[in-house]
């Protein structure tokens, strides 16, 4: 069973040796672990956290949690995968403790409808195929920036479901929501993200297609 | 089915959770409503882009971890913290 192997940082011990040293309480091994894994973990924490301070806080707490749980690490997964999971769980604990009003302005990013149920907006194709866009680092950065703009209650669900690939049930438990609420939030989060991306790429002129005028228009006359 | 209803069903449609009757109606609406087709395409592109948005986090990134954080982690561990 070959999982996609993350590159191990060069110049470090192999993982089995490292884990053994960690379990033995070897200081140098801990420092190696922290120095080689913290940038990835901080990147993950930053996605969930509201501020840089919170992100660093999450990483620090996550390492503490990891150190404490080390005995239970059985090497079934890679150390990096295990740490990643701990960071996400730590971030969730923090989110839960900070609980914000979930409706925080998502409405303005959702599609609107006329009274007869038709879309109020005429949508335009993004002329650049998503598959091509996915390949570009610049696109990924843009998408991450758009995700960061989502209201927190929605952002966390999108991160957990679409990026961390956790199950609906798992996310519901972690956030203290019903599975139905998780599904609704995910759908709204994707819709809002879609709106942000559409605006972004349309504004860039990437999609500037002739023939279709104005997105916002089509005022309904009854 | 209206555009509004179709839009509400998109996630279930894509995950295959829409009941057969609704699925037929969903697709019947798509046949006659290019605007919803475009919206659905955009939604699917969004999901795809979202899923790959963090792919680079596994690539080596420039060292952006503040030394102070690393020191804090290391010193917190060396403190007697067993409780
Ligand atoms: Zn429609």
């Amino acid at each position: 069973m070959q999982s996609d192997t993350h590159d191990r940082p060069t110049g470090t011990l192999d993982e089995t040796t490292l884990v053994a040293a960690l379990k033995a309480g070897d200081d140098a091994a801990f420092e190696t672990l922290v120095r080689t894994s913290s940038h990835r973990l901080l990147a993950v924490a930053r996605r969930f956290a509201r501020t840089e301070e919170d992100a660093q806080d999450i990483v620090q707490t996550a390492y503490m949690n990891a150190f404490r749980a080390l005995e239970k690490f059985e090497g079934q997964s890679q150390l990096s995968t295990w740490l990643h999971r701990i960071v996400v769980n730590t971030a969730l604990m923090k989110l839960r403790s900070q609980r914000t009003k979930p409706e925080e302005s998502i409405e303005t990013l959702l599609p609107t409808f006329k009274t007869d149920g038709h879309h109020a907006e005429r949508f335009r194709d993004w002329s650049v195929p998503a598959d091509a866009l996915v390949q570009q680092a610049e696109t990924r950065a843009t998408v991450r920036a758009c995700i960061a703009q989502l209201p927190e209650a929605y952002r966390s669900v999108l991160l957990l479901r679409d990026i961390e690939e956790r199950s609906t049930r798992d996310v519901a438990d972690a956030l203290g929501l019903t599975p139905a609420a998780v599904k609704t939030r995910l759908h709204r989060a994707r819709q809002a993200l879609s709106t942000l991306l559409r605006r972004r790429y349309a504004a860039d002129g990437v999609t500037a297609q002739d023939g279709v005028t104005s997105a916002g228009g089509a005022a309904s006359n009854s | 089915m209206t555009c509004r209803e179709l839009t509400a069903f998109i996630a279930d449609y894509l995950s295959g959770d829409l009941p057969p009757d609704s699925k037929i109606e969903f697709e019947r609406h798509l046949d006659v409503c290019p605007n919803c087709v475009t919206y659905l395409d955009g939604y699917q592109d969004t999901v795809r882009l979202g899923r790959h948005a963090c792919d680079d986090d596994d690539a080596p990134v420039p060292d952006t971890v503040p030394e102070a954080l690393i020191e804090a982690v290391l010193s917190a561990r060396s403190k007697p913290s067993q409780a």
Side-chain angles (χ1 to χ4, degrees), chain A residues 117-119, chain B residues 1-4 6 29-30 33-37:
Chain A
H118 279 88
H119 277 288
Chain B
M1 186 177 287
T2 63
C3 299
R4 182 196 289 274
L6 180 136
H29 181 98
L30 288 179
C33 183
N35 203 28
C36 275
V37 171

